[in-house]
Amino acid sequence: MTYVVGYGPRGDDRSAVDLAFQFARSRPAPVVAVSVVPQGWGTPVAAGVDREYEQWAAAEGRQSAQLATADFAHHPGLAAEAVWVAGRSVPAALIDQAMARDAALIVVGSAEEAEPGRVRLTSKTDRLVHSSPLPVAIAPRSYRTTSRVTRVTVGFRDDDGSWSLLDRVAGIARASAARVRLVTFLVDPARRPVTTDVSHAQAQVIDAWMTRAVAAQAEAVAHLRTLGFADDEIEHGISAGPQWHAAVASVGWAEGDILVVGSSSTHRLAQVFLGSSASKILRNAPVPVVVVPGAGA
């Protein structure tokens, strides 16, 4: 088993490397930083130019591997390797490397334009998230840590996808000796004046939804107990707010937390589709996010 890191040197942002080593401290396995450089054309007509292009790409790959090795120095005593490969598609090359190296997951960083401490997908990582058969972990911009994973929070919706995800999260938490936290997010849209019938009906719907969510979480907690989790290893709650930012922030986050979200269970390509709720949670998360593909992946 390994942890494969999609490594692209971007200034001082070694966030993906730090996150990979966080997983390695929790469940020991080598970290492999993979830099993907452009692949040459490979046509006889462009042989001379192609050779020069390949030489340039190889030099870029070697330099990137050297920078990754320098980043490893922040995490002494943990097994790590830096490699580079040529490929026409960065996501496809990372998936190939992850499958060949028996990776538990693929780890990437956030976009350069992301605010420090926030998760943002690039066009490449967006394609990776929607095509990888393995979980993909995304580090917030400028993420730094020397801790292990201590708590795994799962966004729980009480649908088929959430129940399948819960079992996979339980496996992640058990392997990492981490606690599990179930959170159901409720974003309450702005209500109309209380004098209208619509507002009253909306309040009734929200109250009924809350009642159902509480019952579903109790059922999920009972299920975790059957998997061997003790009561002090399980947390659960409902987080409500007028916007996604407020709902996600009000949960309370600490060093060692990671958040796990799953794909949409209603989309015809559920195994590779990140639903709208999961996307909003991801964009507002202040901790690393692991996107787990559906069971059909």
Side-chain angles (χ1 to χ4, degrees):
M1 188 186 81
T2 61
Y3 300 102
V4 166
V5 181
Y7 188 84
R10 292 172 294 185
D12 63 349
D13 190 21
R14 62 174 196 269
S15 58
V17 169
D18 273 37
L19 178 56
F21 279 112
Q22 183 174 19
F23 284 111
R25 276 187 291 272
S26 305
R27 187 182 183 188
V31 170
V32 182
V34 178
S35 299
V36 181
V37 301
Q39 186 174 354
W41 298 283
T43 59
V45 175
V49 177
D50 196 33
R51 279 196 298 271
E52 292 181 2
Y53 187 78
E54 290 177 348
Q55 290 171 356
W56 168 83
E60 290 289 304
R62 289 191 295 269
Q63 182 181 26
S64 184
Q66 291 173 356
L67 291 171
T69 301
D71 285 343
F72 296 163
H74 296 279
H75 305 276
L78 296 174
E81 177 187 7
V83 302
W84 65 272
V85 297
R88 300 195 185 282
S89 164
V90 172
L94 287 177
I95 291 172
D96 287 345
Q97 286 291 308
M99 298 299 289
R101 295 174 182 274
D102 188 28
L105 47 75
I106 301 172
V107 187
V108 295
S110 287
E112 290 185 42
E113 61 270 18
E115 298 177 8
R118 292 296 178 185
V119 172
R120 293 290 184 276
L121 300 182
T122 67
S123 59
K124 291 184 177 66
T125 56
D126 184 69
R127 293 199 302 274
L128 176 65
V129 163
H130 289 84
S131 60
S132 175
L134 300 173
V136 177
I138 309 111
R141 180 70 176 166
S142 303
Y143 186 65
R144 299 289 183 271
T145 186
T146 55
S147 76
R148 51 182 291 276
V149 175
T150 57
R151 182 171 59 178
V152 181
T153 298
V154 56
F156 186 73
R157 299 187 306 266
D158 186 31
D159 56 13
D160 290 343
S162 288
W163 282 100
S164 175
L165 178 63
L166 181 60
D167 283 338
R168 301 184 72 176
V169 168
I172 294 171
R174 182 58 73 204
S176 304
R179 304 190 310 278
V180 175
R181 178 170 63 171
L182 303 173
V183 177
T184 302
F185 294 100
L186 170 60
V187 176
D188 185 4
R191 299 185 178 184
R192 301 186 182 186
V194 296
T195 55
T196 69
D197 293 336
V198 173
S199 178
H200 179 67
Q202 183 180 17
Q204 288 183 321
V205 169
I206 292 173
D207 290 344
W209 191 93
M210 288 281 285
T211 300
R212 174 56 193 162
V214 170
Q217 286 204 353
E219 187 178 353
V221 168
H223 178 66
L224 288 172
R225 291 193 185 108
T226 67
L227 298 179
F229 287 87
D231 287 345
D232 61 357
E233 296 176 310
I234 306 171
E235 302 174 42
H236 62 95
I238 297 172
S239 182
Q243 297 92 25
W244 280 100
H245 172 75
V248 174
S250 67
V251 172
W253 303 96
E255 178 78 8
D257 279 344
I258 64 169
L259 172 64
V260 180
V261 297
S263 60
S264 170
S265 61
T266 58
H267 196 272
R268 64 185 180 87
L269 298 177
Q271 68 270 25
V272 297
F273 182 75
L274 191 63
S276 60
S277 295
S279 296
K280 291 170 183 174
I281 294 170
L282 184 150
R283 287 197 298 269
N284 289 283
V287 297
V289 177
V290 179
V291 180
V292 177

